């Protein structure tokens, strides 16, 4: 494994449901402390790394979110099972019969969402989807008191998917949880490494945000603190190159480069910034894709609404099977995204930023 694969493994294996991003933040603090000039956090835990100090230069905010979809302990039944509250957008069918890690005050606790054996399910009920309020997590406890005393679990404790980073096949495919949005964080780390060697004509803020999956909250507070002139959000894209999904729903494929979001439910990007990104991709022979989504929501929307409004764009690494225990990305797309974002930041001098913001 090379350094990038080692970082991707560490980031995706870390547990960080929305509101409980501490383990991921520690990784980002370690990585960014050696390539940036300062590190600080906002009031809810987003990490803000700054490269450059000239306050007269444009302020470029590059963001990715630390949180992953997870669960929270809602209540403990008398017989020792865990009922839960989802954190982020889960499909009910993605929750059943999966392994989980409950992050209790005494340490991580393994559990599984139980499922009835088909031996006892009536034939007419076997094709029904289990609803989340029917589900529970079994940790092997004897009763409620056992859960509280021996395992140290309390209501409000975070629960993360239990799955590990794996090299998949032979074509640079990686299998892991939490690509949304640990892949964006890894892009930020690699871009900052390059910028630190040859400083750009701007001040760059690499921001690792919190609580994106539950309302873009970290992007809102960190944008208020940074006051950017340009917003670049790095996300996991919605791949549509597998059975059961259509190009009407999404237009991305693995191995064909980063995707530029042209529309999602939270933001329409700056058309001038889009054109600049496309031109840079053509000049640097970087393959790109475009995606128009009816749903989705991402931190670029909060950057776009900061100050009196700024040009912003969402650049994504195509990902299969988002918001589940196992997603797949392609290394080729990751590398191309790092190249594209780096090239973009080098272009964002004061003159270019002024043109992007000019509507006269």
């Amino acid at each position: 494994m090379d350094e990038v694969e080692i970082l991707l493994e560490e980031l995706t294996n870390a547990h960080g449901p929305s509101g409980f991003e501490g383990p991921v933040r520690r990784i980002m603090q370690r990585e960014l402390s050696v390539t940036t000039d300062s590190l600080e956090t906002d009031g809810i835990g987003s990490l803000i790394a700054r490269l450059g100090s000239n306050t007269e230069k444009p302020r470029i905010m590059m963001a990715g979110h630390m949180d992953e979809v997870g669960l929270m302990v809602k209540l403990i039944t008398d017989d020792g099972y865990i009922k839960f509250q989802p954190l982020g957008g889960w499909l009910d069918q993605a929750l059943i019969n999966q392994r989980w890690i409950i992050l209790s005050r005494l340490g991580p606790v393994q559990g599984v969402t139980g499922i009835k054996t088909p031996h006892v399910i009536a034939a007419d009920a076997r094709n029904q989807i289990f609803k989340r309020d029917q589900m529970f997590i079994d940790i092997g406890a004897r009763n409620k008191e056992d859960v509280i005393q021996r395992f140290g679990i309390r209501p409000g404790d975070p629960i993360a998917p239990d799955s590990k980073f794996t090299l998949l096949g032979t074509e640079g495919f990686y299998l892991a949880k939490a690509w949304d949005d640990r892949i964006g964080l890894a892009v930020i780390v690699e871009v900052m490494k390059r910028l630190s060697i040859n400083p750009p004509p701007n001040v760059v803020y690499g921001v690792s945000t919190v609580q994106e999956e539950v309302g873009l909250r970290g992007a809102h507070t960190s944008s208020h603190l940074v006051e950017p002139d340009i917003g670049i959000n790095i996300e996991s894209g919605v791949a549509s190159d597998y059975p059961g999904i259509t190009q009407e729903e999404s237009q991305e494929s693995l191995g064909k480069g980063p995707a530029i979001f042209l529309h999602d439910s939270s933001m329409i990007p700056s058309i001038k910034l889009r054109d600049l990104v496309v031109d840079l991709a053509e000049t640097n022979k970087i393959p790109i894709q475009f995606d128009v989504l009816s749903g989705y929501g991402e931190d670029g929307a909060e950057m776009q609404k900061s100050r009196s409004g700024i040009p912003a764009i969402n650049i994504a690494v195509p990902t299969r099977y988002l918001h589940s225990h196992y997603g797949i990305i392609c290394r080729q797309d990751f590398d191309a995204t790092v190249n594209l974002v780096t090239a973009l930041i080098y272009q964002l001098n004061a003159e270019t930023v002024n043109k992007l913001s000019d509507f006269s």
Side-chain angles (χ1 to χ4, degrees):
M1 295 176 69
D2 65 14
E3 289 184 1
V4 168
E5 289 174 343
I6 292 170
L7 176 63
L8 292 174
E9 178 178 34
E10 187 177 14
L11 281 170
T12 54
N13 284 351
H15 302 305
S18 299
F20 304 92
E21 299 89 352
V24 185
R25 182 166 48 246
R26 287 190 286 273
I27 296 171
M28 293 302 290
Q29 286 172 326
R30 182 197 70 209
E31 293 294 319
L32 293 173
S33 65
V34 297
T35 59
T36 59
D37 296 315
S38 70
L39 289 174
E40 63 178 316
T41 54
D42 67 11
I44 61 172
S46 295
L47 178 68
I48 302 169
R50 177 179 53 80
L51 177 63
S53 58
N54 188 333
T55 57
E56 296 182 0
K57 291 183 178 180
R59 301 161 71 93
I60 312 302
M61 180 170 169
M62 174 175 50
H65 65 88
M66 294 186 285
D67 59 317
E68 64 188 297
V69 291
L71 311 173
M72 175 187 285
V73 175
K74 184 176 183 179
L75 61 88
I76 304 165
T77 69
D78 290 340
D79 46 2
Y81 296 99
I82 308 296
K83 301 290 285 186
F84 54 81
Q85 166 67 38
L87 296 175
W90 286 96
L91 292 175
D92 287 358
Q93 56 264 45
L95 296 169
I96 196 67
N97 202 32
Q98 296 285 357
R99 291 174 179 255
W100 305 89
I101 297 291
I102 302 174
L103 305 174
S104 84
R105 70 184 188 278
L106 299 183
V109 178
Q110 290 187 317
V112 62
T113 34
I115 185 172
K116 280 185 181 179
T117 171
H119 299 82
V120 300
I121 298 179
D124 61 353
R126 292 186 181 186
N127 293 325
Q128 295 178 4
I129 295 175
F130 284 86
K131 296 185 181 300
R132 64 186 61 178
D133 59 7
Q134 299 174 281
M135 299 179 195
F136 56 88
I137 296 177
D138 186 343
I139 64 168
R142 299 183 184 92
N143 51 43
K144 183 175 183 178
E145 188 69 15
D146 194 30
V147 173
I148 296 170
Q149 296 301 324
R150 183 159 65 98
F151 293 96
I153 294 173
R154 295 170 172 166
D157 283 348
I159 306 170
D162 183 11
S163 60
K164 299 298 183 184
F165 175 92
T166 303
L167 302 177
L168 189 66
T170 59
E171 298 298 325
F173 282 15
Y174 303 148
L175 177 72
K177 71 173 180 67
W179 289 125
D180 184 10
D181 183 33
R182 308 292 162 72
I183 192 63
L185 301 181
V187 169
I188 290 173
V189 169
E190 293 303 308
V191 169
M192 283 299 208
K193 284 182 182 178
R194 297 187 185 186
L195 298 178
S196 67
I197 296 170
N198 181 23
N202 42 53
V203 180
V204 181
Y205 293 82
V207 182
S208 308
T209 67
V210 298
Q211 299 189 42
E212 189 268 359
E213 298 291 358
V214 291
L216 315 182
R217 297 169 187 173
H220 179 86
T221 54
S222 57
S223 295
H224 180 76
L225 191 60
V226 172
E227 296 185 327
D229 296 301
I230 297 289
I232 305 169
N233 192 51
I234 316 295
E235 261 286 6
S236 55
V238 182
S240 61
D241 57 349
Y242 55 90
I245 187 171
T246 69
Q247 285 199 325
E248 285 296 316
E249 294 169 304
S250 180
Q251 300 86 52
E252 300 175 42
S253 298
L254 266 63
K256 296 185 179 179
I260 311 303
F261 277 33
L262 304 178
H263 177 280
D264 64 63
S265 61
S266 64
M267 185 181 81
I268 297 173
S270 160
I271 194 71
K272 290 182 179 181
L273 186 52
R274 180 211 66 180
D275 287 344
L276 175 59
V277 172
V278 173
D279 291 344
L280 283 170
E282 292 176 352
T283 300
N284 291 278
K285 295 182 170 48
I286 300 171
I288 59 170
Q289 309 178 72
F290 301 103
D291 211 347
V292 175
L293 299 171
S294 58
Y296 209 94
E298 37 83 18
D299 282 344
E302 290 300 320
M303 289 189 275
Q304 186 182 56
K305 292 183 288 187
S306 65
R307 301 178 64 186
S308 60
I310 65 165
I313 196 165
N314 188 55
I315 301 174
V317 179
T319 308
R320 294 177 186 161
Y321 323 130
L322 288 166
H323 287 206
S324 71
H325 275 59
Y326 304 98
I328 300 174
I329 68 157
C330 176
R331 172 64 180 273
Q332 181 178 328
D333 296 328
F334 172 82
D335 292 339
T337 303
V338 172
N339 292 338
L340 181 60
V341 174
T342 304
L344 173 60
I345 292 175
Y346 278 126
Q347 286 293 311
L348 294 173
N349 56 31
E351 180 181 3
T352 300
V353 169
N354 288 336
K355 288 179 179 178
L356 291 172
S357 305
D358 184 8
F359 290 89
S360 60

